[in-house]
Amino acid sequence: MQFTSQQAQEIGNPTFAKSVKEISGTTLDRCYQCLTCSLGCPVNFAMDYLPNQIIRMVQLGLKEQVLKSSTIWLCATCETCVARCPNEVDVLRVMDTLREMALREGVKGKETIIPIFHETFLGSIRQWGRQHELSMLLLLKLKTRDIFSDLGLGVKMLLKGKLKLLPPGVKGSKDVKAIFEKTKGEM
Amino acid sequence: MKRIGVFVCHCGLNIAGSVAVARVVEAIKDYPGVVHAENYIYMCSDPGQDLVRKAIREKSLNGIVMANCSPFLHERTFRNVVASEGLNPYFCEIANIREHCSWPHAYDKEVATKKAIAIIKATVEKVRRNISLTPMVVPLTKRALVIGGGVAGMQAALDIANGGYEVLLVERSPTIGGHATQLSGTFPTLDRPPCLVAPKMAEVANHPNIKLYTYAEIEEVSGYVGNFTVKIKRKPSYIEDEKCDLCGLCLENCPATFPAEFDRGLSQRKALYLSPQAVPQKLVIDPRSCLHFNGDQCRACEEVCPAKAIDFLQQETIVEKKVGAIIVATGYDLFPRERIGEYAEDPDVIDGLQFERILSPSGPTGGEVRRPSDGKVPQEVVFIQCVGSRDPEHGVPYCSRVCCMYTAKQAVLYKRTVPQGQAYIFYMDIRSDAKGYEEFVQRAMEEDQVLYLRGRVSKVFRDGDKIKVWGVDTLSGKSIEISADLVILATAMVPSPGAKELARKLNIIFDQYGFLTEAHPKLRPVETLTSGIYLAGTAQWPRDLPDTVSSASGSASKILSLFSRKELLHEPTIASVDEEVCSGCGYCVSICAYRAIEIDTKRRVARVNEAVCEGCGACAATCPSGAMQHKNFTARQFFEMIDVATGAYV
């Protein structure tokens, strides 16, 4: 199967749909496009494809378009869609799966900052055993090359003592590191 | 002089909500001829009926006006009440003040009340001139005719035969069984039809009460309910059945071949043929394909036949039979796909029934899925739904009802035979509206990984080894191109050829598509407007097997209840001729839809066959001299009614 329209060069890829189903453990085939998921989604205004469209595109095997979409990163994992879906399609697990796939395959999509944020956040926890906001913020600023936005707010928070200068001392920081090591293979 | 009683029903608030019933009673009670008037909340209830009985007894009423709902609902109820008090039931009339008055004028009490009074007064005028009538007794032949030997015809025949009555089953083709024998499986249970249909065929063939006429057609039908006379034309098979012992030598030696109807042209048969699993097991020679009948000297079969059973001189014979009731179960055909230009003429673009044959273990490929052109196992199969259906442009605006399900079934059966293959289904809407159907479609998507694409196909064309399908998926808004090996078109269901001609012979109505029309779409779904003739199966409307079987059993039960009577009673409110006035002009004959009137050529007057007349009144309205009158609906009565009803408004 081929998609002849301009935006889709990718050849329909049944293995993609199959692996999404397997990893997410949810069956997408039941979706009958009632749009309940998209209607209730609190961030639907910002998405390039609505959640129901993402489900359809996965069914059709449009891998590249799906993994590059902003939707998979904008999803706030609030589970409204999952709670409302009449066919028990776990949209949240699908979105998680797609994010994982995009990261693992190094797909550069429309949304760049959100993956960097996730990465930096997890890196901070891995390093300190708990979140250290100041170093994480600085790192994020450097990585995204966006130094000056929210600078005033940062200074205010610092002055009020909301941002700790030193990293937190955590007893189990080694255990946290071990967790990261253990899950590394799976990620 | 009639002593008339008027009974006004509230029908809860259905009538009383907009008609001021007490005022109506007040206005009507002093009307000339009315000696009793009262109102009650539910006249049709037992206490309501008792009020009527009591009034008849106490006030010696001999004319009753029931002001309530439509006569369709309770005319019979109240006529029975009146008859139980010893009055002639035809002295009771209904004044419809619900459907004709309180409902349409629900928001204007004044108008509704005024109109109710006018309707009741007019009905009083009618009752004043009603005459006493008794239903006619008509003899009844307790033998049924079933036309069509498919699933519907067989089911109806079996039901009637099991009820103890004789059945004549007439089938046009050499075998009974119909299209169902061609199918590869049924949805949603995936039974193989041989297991479903074959036992029925055998039962029909062996039933002592069923007389089978295969390879026969209806030549002529006359008469009326309980007393039809049918002429059955038996087509010549050119083989003497008593002599033939089915040795098969003729089949081996016949040189002429013809695309086999049973496999829808996917295999060849000889001019002499016997369909697989045919019931009865009788050979026929098809004169269209036989060389002997097409200017050749060939007598190959005759020469080899050891039993000397071939008879090229056989002629058609006419059998005349009397029957009491008829079931029409002539079935369906598929929409000719050549009429839709988008789908190329190609051996690998086939219709649904052809794919049924390919999937069928008894089919031309022995149950292996191989495409017709080169016998390759198709790896990508595209199903296109609604080919013709829901397409007013091509004259089929209706939904054919079975294609969604049979396409899903075919995709599932395909996937089970070719597990590595991919099936795509282009659909507009999925209509899976019966027990287990939706679940079946969902299973096809989930377990068999059939990819449903919501959209139409713009073009199907040959591209080398492949068939290219250009379509669109409206859910993602993308145009799609599929390189398929096989394309299956779910073509629309249309009435069987010849159904219209048969309907004309039977004098029953068909719709603009040629489907036979029922008497009432909701309340009389298996009857026709001609009493004694019933419908079953897809001759009436596209249906799947369960619906077909239930409609056939419905028709059969109608006939069983008809036959359970000693004789037939016929409504006496029919046309009658005043022979003094009639000039025998024949207008009434031409207008009568039931062929109930004939002209007595000697006396030059019209004569009504009272058993056939359905009392529609068309003749009375047409008669230029007023000689034709409808009993209890005479012109005099109508004019009085009109005067009174409109008097209030002038």
Side-chain angles (χ1 to χ4, degrees), chain A residues 1-5 7-8 14 21 27 29-33 49 52-53 56-57 59-60 62 65, chain B residues 380 422 424 438 442 445-446 449 451-454 470 473 475-483:
Chain A
M1 186 171 66
Q2 257 179 332
F3 292 87
T4 48
S5 69
Q7 70 265 43
K21 280 177 221 166
T27 157
D29 307 300
R30 286 193 197 146
C31 174
Y32 51 46
Q33 295 290 328
Y49 298 107
N52 68 295
Q53 289 173 309
R56 183 66 183 156
M57 287 155 75
Q59 286 175 346
L60 294 178
L62 300 177
Q65 268 177 290
Chain B
E380 294 209 69
Q422 178 63 49
Y424 304 94
E438 176 63 18
Q442 289 300 329
M445 292 183 196
E446 277 173 50
Q449 294 298 314
L451 190 55
Y452 271 79
L453 300 161
R454 189 190 177 282
W470 282 356
D473 176 60
L475 293 178
S476 60
K478 308 231 180 316
S479 24
I480 288 172
E481 177 184 312
I482 300 173
S483 291

Side-chain angles (χ1 to χ4, degrees), chain B residues 266 346-351 354-355 358-359 369-373 376-384 414 422-424 460 462 465-469 482-489:
Chain B
L266 293 177
D346 192 289
D348 292 333
V349 181
I350 59 176
D351 65 35
Q354 284 176 317
F355 197 53
I358 291 178
L359 287 168
V369 179
R370 295 186 178 280
R371 62 183 199 176
S373 66
K376 212 180 99 179
V377 178
Q379 296 303 319
E380 294 209 69
V381 177
V382 172
F383 294 87
I384 304 173
Y414 162 74
Q422 178 63 49
Y424 304 94
V460 173
R462 163 76 53 181
D465 185 38
K466 297 276 185 179
I467 307 276
K468 278 257 156 80
V469 179
I482 300 173
S483 291
D485 297 308
L486 186 64
V487 175
I488 293 117
L489 309 175

Side-chain angles (χ1 to χ4, degrees), chain B residues 467-607:
Chain B
I467 307 276
K468 278 257 156 80
V469 179
W470 282 356
V472 68
D473 176 60
T474 55
L475 293 178
S476 60
K478 308 231 180 316
S479 24
I480 288 172
E481 177 184 312
I482 300 173
S483 291
D485 297 308
L486 186 64
V487 175
I488 293 117
L489 309 175
T491 39
M493 253 184 176
V494 294
S496 170
K500 278 187 194 175
E501 289 70 48
L502 181 68
R504 287 198 189 98
K505 282 176 192 165
L506 291 164
N507 199 25
I508 56 175
I509 307 171
F510 48 84
D511 63 16
Q512 67 261 50
Y513 318 113
F515 287 112
L516 305 176
T517 304
E518 58 287 314
H520 188 284
K522 295 194 167 52
L523 301 173
R524 296 169 69 194
V526 298
E527 294 155 78
T528 65
L529 279 171
T530 307
S531 54
I533 303 185
Y534 304 88
L535 304 173
T538 51
Q540 187 182 355
W541 198 242
R543 288 202 163 106
D544 56 10
L545 280 170
D547 284 5
T548 294
V549 170
S550 29
S551 81
S553 290
S555 285
S557 80
K558 285 276 169 194
I559 290 184
L560 288 173
S561 71
L562 183 79
F563 285 180
S564 68
R565 299 178 216 168
K566 270 210 185 79
E567 61 224 345
L568 290 180
L569 290 181
H570 193 70
E571 271 291 302
T573 47
I574 52 165
S576 70
V577 190
D578 185 344
E579 296 188 353
E580 303 273 296
V581 184
C582 179
S583 65
C585 69
Y587 281 11
C588 49
V589 178
S590 59
I591 200 92
C592 180
Y594 303 95
R595 297 183 199 148
I597 310 175
E598 54 193 12
I599 298 290
D600 185 335
T601 41
K602 255 188 216 154
R603 296 171 55 209
R604 301 260 339 131
V605 288
R607 183 180 296 151

